[in-house]
Amino acid sequence: MHGGYSRYFSPPPFELVGGKSIQKFANTTNEPEVTQDSAPLPEEANYYDVGVQQQFTPGLTAGIDTYYKQSTNLIDEGQFGAPIILTPFNYRYGQQYGAEFTVNYATGPFSIYANASTQRARGKDVETAQFNFSANDLEYTTNHYISLDHEQQYTGSAGASYLWNDTRFSFDMLLGSGLREDLPVPGGVLLANGVTSYDIPNGAHLPYYRQVNMGVSHTFKGFPLGSAKNAPTVRFDVVNLFDTAYEIRNGTGIGVGAPQWGPRRGFFGGITFPLY
């Protein structure tokens, strides 16, 4: 069993904080809807963690871990516009909490594992770098918690491997509930400033997805220049075995302004030759 508490003070990434004034864009086609640009602030947070791990047999181990993080001036990074350029900003309040479950079994040449997790990551009241957001999104976050763009509420993974005559066969799979997107609201939501917003930022998630990978590797222990300790290993891997097409982000919501997709099927090979 374990438990812990941490107190964090995290400055924003200075290399990503812009030093130019948005006033240079006044009266141009690139003038932002919101002209406020408060400088990013350091984040302060309380972090709590409690968990337990149990070894049931010499080869079987299972565990659960829970955590809760309460932040002031929560730092987040957003990709605003088409370029893949991250910009730091702050939510005045932040909450991140969840649970992780794990089980693994290993005996002789065979091993298998499975993990599952659930989490919530929320922020309220964007207070810095405001010019990157629409007036409606800023107004909505002032009075409501919203999910952070990188929140995936449910994630699972599993894998197995088997070693046969110095050849290891393996596979693993990943399942996710999808990252965030805007939630359309028929009829709209009346905001405190009297304006109607027709979507909730980051209020929905993209479809569930899964990805399966497999690989095989062989260690040449009888290689003339090698030995059992430093023998060369050759491996071949297939990423996204079934060539499943899935969208990671669709360009809506707060945080990412461009659509992004998961990898297509890929084939990779490699060789490792330790020289010690």
Side-chain angles (χ1 to χ4, degrees):
M1 299 180 64
H2 69 268
Y5 166 79
S6 298
R7 176 68 175 173
Y8 289 108
F9 179 86
S10 308
F14 296 120
E15 70 277 9
L16 299 178
V17 178
K20 301 295 183 179
S21 171
I22 62 173
Q23 298 303 320
K24 293 185 176 182
F25 296 98
N27 300 317
T28 72
T29 56
N30 202 34
E31 183 177 10
E33 179 184 2
V34 177
T35 58
Q36 190 174 1
D37 182 21
S38 302
L41 302 168
E43 175 182 342
E44 298 181 42
N46 297 306
Y47 184 86
Y48 309 87
D49 183 275
V50 177
V52 60
Q53 189 177 64
Q54 175 68 43
Q55 185 175 14
F56 294 97
T57 70
L60 177 62
T61 303
I64 179 174
D65 189 72
T66 61
Y67 61 91
Y68 176 75
K69 182 181 178 183
Q70 183 182 36
S71 302
T72 302
N73 302 325
L74 168 67
I75 296 175
D76 199 359
E77 294 179 6
Q79 173 209 325
F80 302 100
I84 310 299
I85 299 175
L86 294 175
T87 301
F89 65 96
N90 297 89
Y91 292 95
R92 191 179 303 275
Y93 309 105
Q95 296 177 346
Q96 296 135 83
Y97 52 90
E100 301 173 351
F101 310 87
T102 180
V103 59
N104 59 78
Y105 177 74
T107 176
F110 178 73
S111 65
I112 187 172
Y113 72 90
N115 303 302
S117 67
T118 178
Q119 64 135 344
R120 293 301 305 271
R122 309 192 304 164
K124 179 181 178 181
D125 192 6
V126 173
E127 58 176 344
T128 60
Q130 297 92 332
F131 71 96
N132 292 295
F133 305 89
S134 69
N136 282 0
D137 285 349
L138 280 179
E139 183 63 32
Y140 188 88
T141 66
T142 300
N143 299 299
H144 302 86
Y145 275 97
I146 66 168
S147 295
L148 305 186
D149 66 284
H150 52 266
E151 178 197 280
Q152 181 167 266
Q153 193 166 0
Y154 302 106
T155 303
S157 63
S161 71
Y162 183 79
L163 182 63
W164 176 73
N165 288 342
D166 299 325
T167 300
R168 183 176 298 278
F169 303 90
S170 62
F171 95 96
D172 62 85
M173 62 180 297
L174 177 69
L175 173 69
S177 61
L179 298 181
R180 310 308 298 184
E181 64 176 342
D182 281 346
L183 174 65
V185 180
V189 177
L190 184 62
L191 303 178
N193 61 359
V195 176
T196 300
S197 176
Y198 291 93
D199 55 62
I200 296 176
N202 295 354
H205 66 83
L206 292 168
Y208 277 75
Y209 66 90
R210 58 112 175 108
Q211 178 178 311
V212 177
N213 314 303
M214 66 171 296
V216 59
S217 65
H218 181 78
T219 301
F220 293 88
K221 293 184 179 179
F223 192 76
L225 299 179
S227 65
K229 181 179 180 181
N230 65 346
T233 299
V234 176
R235 66 176 300 119
F236 175 73
D237 298 283
V238 182
V239 174
N240 198 353
L241 177 65
F242 301 109
D243 200 21
T244 304
Y246 61 92
E247 197 170 24
I248 298 176
R249 306 180 188 273
N250 65 2
T252 69
I254 288 180
V256 176
Q260 299 169 350
W261 292 79
R264 300 298 299 268
R265 183 191 292 127
F267 303 94
F268 302 87
I271 182 170
T272 304
F273 196 114
L275 298 178
Y276 54 87

